[in-house]
Amino acid sequence: MTTDVKKKPAAETGTERRLNMIEAINEALDVKLAEDPDVIVMGEDVGYFGGVFRATAGLQEKHGKTRVFDTPISECGIIGVAVGMGAYGLRPVPEIQFADYIYPGLDQLISEAARLRYRSAAEYIAPMTVRSPFGGGIFGGQTHSQSPEAIFAHVSGLKTVIPATPYDAKGLLISCIEDNDPVIFFEPKRIYNGPFSGYYDKPVEPWKRFDSSIVPEGHYTIPLGKARIAREGEAMTVLAYGTMVHVAEAVCEEKGIDADILDLRTIVPLDIEAIEASVEKTGKCLIVHEATRTSGFGAELSALVTERCFYHLEAPVERVTGFDTPYPHSLEWAYFPGPVRIGEAIDKLMEA
Amino acid sequence: MADRPEGSAKQGSNKPALELHVPEPTYRPGDPVDFAHITVPEAGKQPRPDENCEAIETSPLCYDLVRVLGDDNKAHGPWDPKLDAETLRTMMRNFAMVRAFDERMFRGQRQGKTSFYMKCTGEEATSISAAMALASDDMVFPSYRQQGILITRGYPLIEMINQIYSNKGDKLKGRQLPIMYSSREHSFFSISGNLATQTPQAVGWAMASAIKGDSRIAATWVGEGSTAEGDFHSACTFATVYNAPVILNVINNQWAISSFSGFAGAERTTFAARALGYGLAGIRVDGNDPLAVYAAEKWAADRARANGGPTLIEHFTYRAEGHSTSDDPSGYRSAQERDEWPLGDPVMRLKRHLIEIGEWSEEQQEELDRKCVEEVKAVTKEAEKNGILGHGLHHPFRTMFEDVFEELPWHLKEQSEQAIRERETKFPEGRPGA
């Protein structure tokens, strides 16, 4: 079961408004803060200033400083207090300023938030949504560019969500905040302002030129665990999420490949039905992510497709990923899995 | 020696060679013990500032030791909480019950009824007397040696034993290591097993209570050894930044498994003094003095409840037994330490005080101890009907997959089906508890 945002008429929910991803995220937070007095937003620089990427701009002024506030520079503390707040009955939405900074909070996420429901037999839960910008392509160097989603996908008890459009960002974030399990919400910062084709030398096309930036006002949700068909086709299945959905789309467009592109949206839980249906239809599978290759989430996807769709496959599954190195500052575009790397893999699959 | 950058002074210049200090405890196995170096101030001599004082005014208390019960077994000075005899007898009943419970569970582990147990012998006051100073709905975030809180709050012994046996009556469905209790009904947070993680969580709960304008406060317990964890630093920072209504209890029982408190910094300063750098109120209390522990905890609770902010309390005590049933302290510390501990035993001190004030007798103590032993024995037998660890009376297989998430996703459904297939292969005739 999948949904296709392009088919959603804007008129259905009122005036057509086009937002970029930051505005959509800000609106999701605003909607939940207004609706639910138990929602609180906190993180480094998120209060008065409104966040280094402006995702929380205006929220403190509107909802008050005990609902939206700055925190000490302590990811362990931010996640740790969020666990305690969840035990009290709040729904904290902490921001970790960059995904690269999340590691000091890992014990609180992996050993505490993710396990609390299980170890207490559901006496206590950790209904938190950890928002964090991730991914490269902004000259962030090796500490502002990483994509650590596979670390979280490996942990039982955590959900991991990655939006690829403003419409999805708002609907998915509202779903995450309403979810009773801890969720990691990674925001692909390269596409905050517009989708990215992979051609870094071309100017960014703003979101408002794309229909997936039509964002309804007020409350709506997109269920976790349901993929989006970004492009329907027959030639091959492309599995991607975040920034790479757009890069894959652009490359397929350029090469004239009739690909079936699935935007996974959430990697845990994963929409296995959509993946199976697509691979059974196309017989070929390309997996694209920006994260490092070894033990990346692509390895899991490749294994699942091979285990479950082997007799439908006409060629070995292809993976296109970042290299197994830190994200280098000056050689960012040599690292990034751009059109050349993706194109090569597509050619290989098409020749098979 | 590591290479030096070119141009830096060569080894052998007249600069002294640097030395690394690796802490060493005063006594090792077989050593005669003399704790003369531990300063034990006279009971009743420590000043008691107003609960609403500035945090800085508590600084002298961070290097002192708040004591109420003197060598004469009487209560002295401004910290005397002036508890009525009935409350003192309740405290004694909780002490006796925890001791009887610890004895029985320790033996149960040795008899193979469970995998693991941890006693709190010698540290009873730091949980029982402290918990009695809190409101029953104040939220506690304990570490693993605070069974006294549950007993104080009237948590049924059978639930504790079911959990320790991981049997089919275990409310935690056999998922947690023994003694890692959880009881929302008793405002007792789920014990992690990872160290110090509960400290920022307690602060977060307290922040939430303040955000909501509630009147309940939070309290957490952490061993002196695990104050070295970053979580504890985060907890202190967040507590002070948001003036959170929380009490941070540091149980300095001198030993973290085989590492003495020096490996957490005790050679240089007190744990209470950590409060000063953060701007928290701090108190160092004789953790084996039940009245002093009660008074310090009450002071901190009253302060927190009046929006006066957080307090860090160091309970100076001694871990009289091994770290757990998996530990043998005779391999790393002198067996004499326990007998020579200058602050005595909290249970004996309370008993002598009750007798001194004419509210108790040796006969009553014997009667109480006997009753507690009998009650624990009877409840243990009852719990054993639900099974003991490894004897089949566990929770059904499918429960292994529940509560990972609120709803079961497809991959866990598939794995659950596999677990059931495996069971059918192993036990084709079926087996109880399946």
Side-chain angles (χ1 to χ4, degrees), chain A residues 279-309:
Chain A
V279 175
E280 285 170 15
K281 177 175 75 174
T282 64
K284 292 178 179 177
C285 183
L286 169 66
I287 296 158
V288 189
H289 63 60
E290 194 182 331
T292 45
R293 185 174 186 86
T294 303
S295 296
F297 194 69
E300 178 67 26
L301 289 171
S302 173
L304 285 169
V305 167
T306 309
E307 285 163 2
R308 305 170 88 94
C309 309

Side-chain angles (χ1 to χ4, degrees), chain A residues 37-38 40 42 66-67 69-72 74 76-90 107-108 111-125 155-159 179-182 268-272 304 308, chain B residues 139 141 171-173 175-176 180 182-185 187-205 207-209 211-212 214 216 230-231 234-235 237-238 241-242 399-407 409-411 414:
Chain A
D38 292 333
I40 69 120
M42 60 176 172
T66 62
R67 304 281 311 284
F69 51 86
D70 291 332
T71 62
S74 167
C76 161
I78 292 169
I79 309 290
V81 300
V83 172
M85 288 172 172
Y88 181 93
L90 300 189
D107 192 37
Q108 286 288 347
S111 311
E112 301 293 319
R115 308 243 192 93
L116 187 55
R117 175 189 293 280
Y118 193 77
R119 80 179 198 218
S120 71
E123 274 198 333
Y124 296 101
I125 59 171
V155 175
S156 52
L158 287 182
K159 293 178 178 171
D179 199 281
N180 287 326
D181 291 314
V268 179
L270 186 66
D271 190 347
I272 193 70
L304 285 169
R308 305 170 88 94
Chain B
M139 186 72 186
F141 288 77
K171 284 190 165 171
L172 305 184
K173 302 185 180 175
R175 291 170 181 162
Q176 268 283 42
M180 306 291 175
S182 174
S183 178
R184 194 179 181 92
E185 200 187 331
S187 300
F188 187 97
F189 191 65
S190 154
I191 301 171
S192 169
N194 278 18
L195 298 181
T197 50
Q198 72 277 12
T199 59
Q201 294 165 358
V203 175
W205 194 98
M207 288 168 68
S209 191
I211 288 169
K212 288 293 187 181
D214 201 332
R216 293 172 294 164
D231 298 64
S234 300
T237 305
F238 278 69
V241 165
Y242 300 102
T399 62
M400 175 161 60
F401 299 91
E402 292 169 359
D403 301 325
V404 177
F405 296 103
E406 186 172 35
E407 285 162 18
W410 66 268
H411 63 285
E414 288 186 356

Side-chain angles (χ1 to χ4, degrees), chain B residues 249-266:
Chain B
N249 292 291
V250 176
I251 309 302
N252 178 5
N253 68 8
Q254 316 301 321
W255 291 92
I257 307 187
S258 74
S259 306
F260 85 116
S261 56
F263 281 95

Side-chain angles (χ1 to χ4, degrees), chain A residues 84-105:
Chain A
M85 288 172 172
Y88 181 93
L90 300 189
R91 281 183 189 276
V93 189
E95 175 182 302
I96 300 298
Q97 199 163 79
F98 287 88
D100 315 66
Y101 299 171
I102 206 166
Y103 307 121

Side-chain angles (χ1 to χ4, degrees), chain A residues 54-286:
Chain A
R54 319 303 304 143
T56 56
L59 296 178
Q60 185 180 70
E61 195 183 2
K62 186 166 172 190
H63 300 282
K65 62 180 192 175
T66 62
R67 304 281 311 284
V68 181
F69 51 86
D70 291 332
T71 62
I73 302 172
S74 167
E75 290 74 18
C76 161
I78 292 169
I79 309 290
V81 300
V83 172
M85 288 172 172
Y88 181 93
L90 300 189
R91 281 183 189 276
V93 189
E95 175 182 302
I96 300 298
Q97 199 163 79
F98 287 88
D100 315 66
Y101 299 171
I102 206 166
Y103 307 121
L106 280 195
D107 192 37
Q108 286 288 347
L109 272 173
I110 293 176
S111 311
E112 301 293 319
R115 308 243 192 93
L116 187 55
R117 175 189 293 280
Y118 193 77
R119 80 179 198 218
S120 71
E123 274 198 333
Y124 296 101
I125 59 171
M128 70 167 81
T129 302
V130 181
R131 289 182 41 247
S132 191
F134 91 138
I138 59 152
F139 282 108
Q142 48 101 22
T143 54
H144 300 76
S145 305
Q146 293 167 78
S147 298
E149 69 275 10
I151 293 172
F152 301 94
H154 190 60
V155 175
S156 52
L158 287 182
K159 293 178 178 171
T160 302
V161 177
I162 300 160
T165 69
Y167 176 85
D168 276 10
K170 181 175 171 185
L172 287 169
L173 182 53
I174 291 176
S175 288
C176 294
I177 297 170
E178 292 174 353
D179 199 281
N180 287 326
D181 291 314
V183 188
I184 312 296
F185 188 82
F186 279 134
E187 300 166 3
K189 58 183 174 289
R190 184 62 177 84
I191 58 169
Y192 268 156
N193 294 314
F196 180 51
S197 65
Y199 291 94
Y200 53 91
D201 40 0
K202 291 183 188 164
V204 176
E205 275 200 83
W207 272 114
K208 62 173 184 269
R209 294 188 198 153
F210 300 85
D211 284 353
S212 55
S213 72
I214 299 170
V215 176
E217 284 184 64
H219 182 280
Y220 70 94
T221 58
I222 294 171
L224 305 186
K226 298 291 171 206
R228 174 182 73 101
I229 299 172
R231 185 193 188 285
E232 237 176 317
E234 305 286 334
M236 70 174 65
T237 297
V238 179
L239 304 180
Y241 44 87
T243 305
M244 299 318 296
V245 173
H246 304 286
V247 181
E249 264 189 278
V251 177
C252 290
E253 180 73 27
E254 186 193 41
K255 293 178 76 79
I257 303 294
D258 182 28
D260 209 40
I261 302 179
L262 281 191
D263 168 7
L264 297 177
R265 284 176 167 159
T266 67
I267 59 171
V268 179
L270 186 66
D271 190 347
I272 193 70
E273 286 177 22
I275 294 171
E276 284 175 4
S278 176
V279 175
E280 285 170 15
K281 177 175 75 174
T282 64
K284 292 178 179 177
C285 183
L286 169 66

Side-chain angles (χ1 to χ4, degrees), chain B residues 40-44 46 65-71 73-76 79-81 83 88 91 95 122-126 128-130 285-297 315-318 341 343-350 353:
Chain B
V40 179
E42 200 180 327
Q46 297 74 40
L65 195 65
V66 171
R67 303 181 76 231
V68 171
L69 282 176
D71 295 340
N73 300 315
K74 289 180 181 151
H76 298 277
W79 286 95
D80 176 7
L83 298 176
L88 292 174
M91 196 182 282
F95 279 7
E123 300 173 42
E124 290 88 347
T126 64
I128 292 167
S129 307
V285 64
D286 174 351
N288 289 13
D289 178 340
L291 298 188
V293 169
Y294 182 98
E297 199 78 11
H315 301 256
F316 193 72
T317 181
Y318 186 77
W341 184 246
L343 300 174
D345 173 82
V347 182
M348 295 304 288
R349 287 174 73 183
L350 182 62
H353 174 62

